[in-house]
Amino acid sequence: MATRRDETVSVKKKAAAAGKKMLPAKKTGKPAAPRKKAPPAKKVATVKKASQQGKQAGAQGLLRAGLKALGNVRDDVVKRQTNVIESLLGIGQPKGDGAPRGFALESFGIRKFEDVFDQRVATALQRLGMPTAQEVQELREQIKRLLEHLDRIESGRKR
């Protein structure tokens, strides 16, 4: 990749030359000599116009190249997002030699995200005093045994 020429030196020289022209004339008692006018420079003006047009064309080309690169990135992002969403919904076209659907989710890190989410929700529910799934299952079994015991007791009284 080519590097740009350092233009700070030429800019400093031009500024120094302009600074010398702008200094006020010293008062020596003599009237200042009138400055000579430069002859009209038609060739210089046309060269300057051509270089300005070249710079504009270069800037436009650079701008177009940048916009094209941004367009390519945008298209790539859209394609990847579409693939992720289709994989999640299960509507993507399966490829003959591709990996199975579950593996596709693993490659996006969805399973890991789900595991982290589940752990955080469980921790938050535990802080709120909610019973765990195991505790709820134990309560169901206990209620089932109590109902069976109650049915046996009631059936013994009916006789």
Side-chain angles (χ1 to χ4, degrees):
M1 180 156 100
T3 57
R4 291 181 54 191
R5 189 173 68 97
D6 187 13
E7 297 177 2
T8 56
V9 175
S10 62
V11 171
K12 287 180 182 177
K13 286 180 182 178
K14 288 179 183 178
K20 289 180 182 177
K21 290 179 182 176
M22 300 304 268
L23 291 176
K26 295 181 182 178
K27 294 184 180 180
T28 59
K30 296 180 186 177
R35 292 188 181 183
K36 295 181 182 178
K37 290 187 178 179
K42 293 180 182 177
K43 288 185 178 180
V44 174
T46 55
V47 170
K48 285 183 181 179
K49 283 184 182 179
S51 76
Q52 286 177 351
Q53 289 174 351
K55 286 181 183 178
Q56 287 177 348
Q60 286 177 352
L62 185 61
L63 181 62
R64 285 187 179 141
L67 290 174
K68 183 177 179 183
L70 287 174
N72 292 342
V73 169
R74 182 195 50 144
D75 294 341
D76 188 41
V77 167
V78 168
K79 186 170 73 173
R80 288 177 187 265
Q81 287 177 343
T82 303
N83 289 341
V84 169
I85 291 170
E86 286 178 352
S87 295
L88 291 174
L89 296 176
I91 60 174
Q93 299 295 328
K95 296 177 182 164
D97 59 347
R101 276 281 184 231
F103 183 76
L105 293 178
E106 286 297 328
S107 65
F108 295 123
I110 301 296
R111 298 280 186 228
K112 184 176 181 179
F113 175 74
E114 287 177 348
D115 292 341
V116 170
F117 181 77
D118 290 344
Q119 289 174 357
R120 291 193 179 178
V121 168
T123 304
L125 290 174
Q126 185 180 14
R127 272 192 239 134
L128 293 173
M130 295 294 291
T132 63
Q134 183 181 1
E135 292 172 339
V136 171
Q137 185 62 33
E138 289 173 359
L139 285 172
R140 285 181 181 169
E141 291 174 7
Q142 187 178 7
I143 290 173
K144 183 179 176 183
R145 286 193 305 253
L146 286 172
L147 287 174
E148 289 173 357
H149 183 66
L150 186 62
D151 285 342
R152 276 185 270 146
I153 292 173
E154 288 180 357
S155 65
R157 287 186 184 173
K158 290 181 182 178
R159 290 183 191 175

